[in-house]
Amino acid sequence: MSDPNNPYGQPKQDGYGYPQQPPAGPGGYGQQPGYGYPQQGHPQGYPQGMYTGDPNAPYGYDMYGRPLSDKSKVVAGVLQLLAGGLGIGRFYVGDIGIGVAQLLTCGGLGIWALIDGILFLTSNDRTDSQGRILRS
């Protein structure tokens, strides 16, 4: 009679050949699905696609390997266009000093705020106060 696990009739040696099923012990560990394989998935408490395991890059990295910020360049640009005289876009990304300067000068009489808002929307290398690239 042929053994389906040993189609060529090789002599059975301990530690060699086809893997044996682990015994079902008192906890039934041998009957768990995926036994012996590393479990994949996300750590508990983190939604899928959000946690990268790196606290310096909570939203991952861009295609050049630079860490992405939790702030959005679109939100920063729109805030700067709508309320740039108050420096709101700069306060949003964490640039407090420039935000105060725009607040005191009314956004450079609106010109500085307008140009800054357009640059936020069109630039791909704007950073937040921690030096991380703003997300699209």
Side-chain angles (χ1 to χ4, degrees):
M1 207 179 270
S2 68
D3 183 9
N5 290 332
N6 192 356
Y8 299 110
Q10 299 289 333
K12 193 172 188 182
Q13 298 176 1
D14 289 337
Y16 295 99
Y18 294 99
Q20 302 297 317
Q21 293 292 330
Y29 68 89
Q31 298 172 353
Q32 293 177 354
Y35 176 77
Y37 295 99
Q39 299 296 319
Q40 296 179 355
H42 297 282
Q44 289 288 353
Y46 294 102
Q48 184 174 1
M50 296 287 292
Y51 183 68
T52 63
D54 185 1
N56 295 324
Y59 286 88
Y61 297 91
D62 68 352
M63 59 195 231
Y64 300 110
R66 301 176 297 185
L68 291 174
S69 174
D70 56 340
K71 308 290 186 202
S72 169
K73 73 176 189 173
V74 174
V75 172
V78 169
L79 284 174
Q80 194 64 21
L81 288 175
L82 297 177
L86 301 174
I88 301 298
R90 286 298 187 155
F91 285 121
Y92 171 73
V93 297
D95 292 332
I96 305 300
I98 295 176
V100 169
Q102 287 183 348
L103 179 65
L104 294 176
T105 62
C106 294
L109 299 176
I111 297 170
W112 182 11
L114 176 68
I115 293 171
D116 207 21
I118 292 170
L119 287 176
F120 268 120
L121 292 172
T122 59
S123 177
N124 287 331
D125 58 351
R126 286 287 180 134
T127 61
D128 64 0
S129 62
Q130 297 173 349
R132 299 182 297 201
I133 302 295
L134 296 176
R135 291 184 295 129
S136 297

